[in-house]
Amino acid sequence: MSSTSSVTAIDGSAREGGINWSAVYKFSLTAIAYPLMGIAVMVALWWLGGWMIANNPDTSSFADFAPAPAFARLLDLVANGYVLEATIPSLERIGLGLLWAALLGVPVGVAIGLYAVVREVSHVPFQFLRMISPLAWMPIAVLAFETWDGAIVFLIAVAAIWPILFSTAQGVRRIDPLWFKVAKNLGADGSQMLRRIILPAIGQDIFAGVRLAVGVAWIVLVPAEYLGVTSGLGYAINDARDTLEYDTLAAMVVVIGIIGFFLDGICVSMIKRLSWHAEG
Amino acid sequence: MSTNISIDYITHTFKGADAPTLKDIELKIQPGEKIALIGRSGCGKSTLLHMLAGLLLPSEGCVRIHGHQVSKPSAKWNMMFQKASLYPWMSVRENAELGLVFAGKKDPAKIDYLMSLVGLTDKADANVQSLSGGQQQRVALARSLATSPDLLLLDEPFSALDAFTRSSLQDEVADIVSREDLTMVIVTHDIDEAVAMADRVLIMSANPGRIVGEMAVDLPFPRNRASVEFSRSREQLMNQFESLVGDADLEHSQAETVDTNKTESETTDAQKAA
């Protein structure tokens, strides 16, 4: 792959014309060739692992974990709608969990950033709670919520709230004090200060927190969906394990990775959009 | 003509400080007057300006504008700082319009006028971060003028600029202030700036901060820096400053740091209380 693109670029850079070939070369390298190389290494290692499992008499019954059967199965599962069916409930739970995390995390984060008293008082409890694995809340969540879905959303929110809260607080504390002074001088009241100054100033920090939160939430999602529910990606993984369908299991792992990758991409583009830092 | 702005025996001691930063300041400012407060670092001139803006309340005495006691900041007495402090997520125009937005009185025609007044019509939609330091201060000036303030307060607004931009902006702002018939108080430690922009210069001395002398600069705007009259005023002010304040106290540069920090933290406290 990489050799093809570099050959094109060498041909191109010798040519005269309106196109900046060295930029095209650089772009095709960083945006296409390097990621493809990374994927190639990953699949190669996976293939090697599969080959070793298949050739070991003790593990040969797990041979379906290898890339070839997994990708074949993945195509089937996409075609028959199983992937979509498993993905939608998971995305709903993630979305709700993140929404709750943001609805609680952003205001509390703003308060912590603005008021030293809130910061001091909340420090110990928040650092304590933050360190508890979200999965440790599982038994309590199951008791506290009537539905399995409620419990799962709660677990995701518990995992996702901390990065959002702390990143928001950090963002508020980094706001130039003069921005407050000038806004007050121009007659801003409390709500105008919040809407026109504080929130735009920290938009990128909030989404930097959301980005981290998506990462943790997506990790928590799978074990959380081992709980009573009969839908979602975590359920699909658990179900494939119970039914010994290792190709399905590996295919679902690929699905989880790809969706996570795109969710992260959405967060990155939101951060870029809300960033007011000068380009370059 | 009745007195527009009066400072009635202000004394101010910062929390935890032994000695007052300002002592028995008394001053009356007539409408349309352009006043420069000059003094060494730590003489409390910036503190006094913050009080005029309502960003800081004096421990004793008060500031009255049109007979009303200044108890909080208002877009009617507007301050420009050393840093332009523009909001980078807003365009030039949106920055200038902010005070009007807060008041719920958007006025595009007025902003158009101000953009041309400060010479930024063709930059109105630009990102403020793409502007030079001087241009950013022009935006800050437009923003301060948009709310039609009774009083324009300038806290060393040109001191972070290079020498050429500084002197041309001093002349330009002085010209705008005189054409718009604004009342202005500028804090500076630059004798040239005082002579270029003010028609009354007040000399402050430190420990405690107080007004020790004043001098009228009776030159028409726009002022010609190359003129004999300008040089004479400059020399006169320099001499008066030397004789009143002297070169007594170099250790006050240290006091200034403390002073500024306190001003900062007081304001933050006030902002939190709000």
Side-chain angles (χ1 to χ4, degrees):
Chain A
M1 284 296 164
S2 64
S3 64
T4 338
S5 60
S6 64
V7 167
T8 328
I10 289 163
D11 281 357
S13 56
R15 233 175 274 148
E16 296 286 323
I19 301 169
N20 180 351
W21 288 106
S22 98
V24 171
Y25 171 65
K26 216 173 152 191
F27 174 81
S28 52
L29 204 62
T30 55
I32 300 165
Y34 287 163
L36 284 178
M37 279 161 72
I39 293 170
V41 169
M42 193 167 66
V43 173
L45 286 174
W46 181 7
W47 177 84
L48 188 69
W51 180 80
M52 283 161 66
I53 288 171
N55 284 285
N56 183 338
D58 291 343
T59 57
S60 57
S61 53
F62 300 109
D64 277 353
F65 270 125
F71 280 117
R73 189 82 189 117
L74 179 59
L75 285 179
D76 290 347
L77 295 176
V78 171
N80 69 19
Y82 184 81
V83 165
L84 195 65
E85 210 177 290
T87 303
I88 287 171
S90 287
L91 285 180
E92 277 174 10
R93 290 171 192 137
I94 282 276
L96 270 175
L98 286 172
L99 186 67
W100 278 111
L103 284 177
L104 294 168
V106 172
V108 176
V110 168
I112 288 178
L114 283 181
Y115 306 104
V117 181
V118 181
R119 182 156 63 242
E120 301 296 331
V121 170
S122 66
H123 180 75
V124 173
F126 281 1
Q127 292 300 328
F128 170 79
L129 290 170
R130 181 172 84 93
M131 288 303 170
I132 300 170
S133 162
L135 297 176
W137 293 102
M138 231 184 223
I140 297 169
V142 170
L143 283 175
F145 288 86
E146 276 182 27
T147 62
W148 294 113
D149 267 316
I152 292 169
V153 168
F154 169 79
L155 291 176
I156 291 168
V158 164
I161 190 168
W162 305 113
I164 297 178
L165 191 155
F166 289 120
S167 185
T168 303
Q170 272 296 321
V172 173
R173 291 195 71 185
R174 271 205 307 269
I175 295 177
D176 185 344
L178 206 48
W179 283 353
F180 289 119
K181 219 191 242 187
V182 168
K184 266 173 61 178
N185 199 180
L186 290 170
D189 62 29
S191 96
Q192 287 168 331
M193 186 75 90
L194 184 69
R195 281 181 299 120
R196 303 236 174 231
I197 310 297
I198 297 176
L199 289 180
I202 63 168
Q204 57 198 332
D205 301 286
I206 294 177
F207 272 88
V210 170
R211 186 186 178 193
L212 292 173
V214 166
V216 204
W218 198 238
I219 291 167
V220 169
L221 173 80
V222 170
E225 282 181 341
Y226 290 179
L227 288 175
V229 293
T230 53
S231 62
L233 296 164
Y235 168 76
I237 295 253
N238 210 23
D239 188 50
R241 187 196 63 188
D242 292 347
T243 54
L244 309 179
E245 292 173 57
Y246 297 120
D247 48 354
T248 304
L249 206 159
M252 293 318 286
V253 168
V254 172
V255 170
I256 289 171
I258 290 173
I259 296 173
F261 180 81
F262 280 105
L263 288 178
D264 188 66
I266 293 171
C267 292
V268 171
S269 77
M270 282 306 289
I271 293 170
K272 272 199 191 140
R273 249 179 85 180
L274 292 172
S275 169
W276 39 259
H277 289 292
E279 303 277 320
Chain B
M1 197 181 280
S2 68
T3 300
N4 196 342
I5 296 154
S6 70
I7 295 175
D8 297 344
Y9 295 101
I10 280 182
T11 292
H12 187 73
T13 311
F14 281 110
K15 264 181 245 163
D18 309 326
T21 304
L22 293 173
K23 183 128 178 84
D24 296 334
I25 305 277
E26 205 220 344
L27 178 64
K28 305 224 180 296
I29 302 171
Q30 306 299 330
E33 259 194 310
K34 290 128 191 62
I35 297 200
L37 287 172
I38 63 168
R40 288 221 162 75
S41 300
C43 69
K45 56 193 191 299
S46 183
T47 307
L48 185 58
L49 201 69
H50 274 74
M51 286 169 181
L52 280 166
L55 288 165
L56 192 65
L57 295 180
S59 21
E60 289 167 45
C62 69
V63 176
R64 288 176 207 279
I65 297 183
H66 291 316
H68 296 292
Q69 192 172 336
V70 173
S71 59
K72 60 180 195 320
S74 156
K76 286 280 147 201
W77 34 96
N78 239 326
M79 184 131 151
M80 252 179 90
F81 301 89
Q82 185 175 338
K83 265 175 70 187
S85 191
L86 304 175
Y87 301 101
W89 54 89
M90 301 177 196
S91 68
V92 166
R93 209 192 155 78
E94 288 167 335
N95 267 284
E97 203 169 31
L98 191 60
L100 296 176
V101 169
F102 286 152
K105 293 176 194 155
K106 278 196 172 192
D107 188 344
K110 186 171 198 180
I111 301 300
D112 287 341
Y113 168 72
L114 287 170
M115 288 288 104
S116 71
L117 190 68
V118 300
L120 286 174
T121 302
D122 55 338
K123 295 264 183 192
D125 297 313
N127 181 327
V128 291
Q129 290 173 104
S130 69
L131 304 184
S132 69
Q135 289 172 326
Q136 295 196 0
Q137 280 299 20
R138 288 161 194 265
V139 181
L141 177 66
R143 177 171 68 185
S144 297
L145 297 181
T147 50
S148 311
D150 294 331
L151 177 61
L152 183 65
L153 303 163
L154 308 173
D155 191 2
E156 304 188 20
F158 312 119
S159 56
L161 304 173
D162 67 83
F164 300 109
T165 315
R166 190 189 310 146
S167 61
S168 68
L169 258 183
Q170 283 165 357
D171 294 344
E172 202 179 311
V173 172
D175 188 41
I176 289 173
V177 165
S178 109
R179 271 194 289 151
E180 302 281 309
D181 201 23
L182 297 163
T183 312
M184 176 193 87
V185 178
I186 180 168
V187 156
T188 179
H189 48 231
D190 177 349
I191 301 256
D192 272 19
E193 187 162 286
V195 176
M197 300 187 68
D199 44 34
R200 184 149 71 112
V201 183
L202 303 172
I203 300 166
M204 287 184 73
S205 141
N207 291 340
R210 61 202 186 280
I211 296 169
V212 290
E214 74 170 81
M215 189 190 106
V217 182
D218 215 358
L219 302 173
F221 292 99
R223 285 178 180 169
N224 178 5
R225 285 168 195 257
S227 70
V228 180
E229 292 80 7
F230 192 95
S231 309
R232 199 176 291 144
S233 298
R234 198 175 164 280
E235 201 171 325
Q236 198 187 338
L237 179 58
M238 193 93 98
N239 290 336
Q240 201 173 343
F241 186 82
E242 288 294 320
S243 68
L244 288 168
V245 185
D247 42 12
D249 28 26
L250 279 170
E251 72 270 9
H252 290 318
S253 52
Q254 211 178 352
E256 167 77 339
T257 338
V258 177
D259 178 0
T260 319
N261 284 342
K262 276 180 181 153
T263 312
E264 206 65 61
S265 70
E266 291 266 313
T267 323
T268 324
D269 288 346
Q271 149 213 325
K272 278 165 187 170

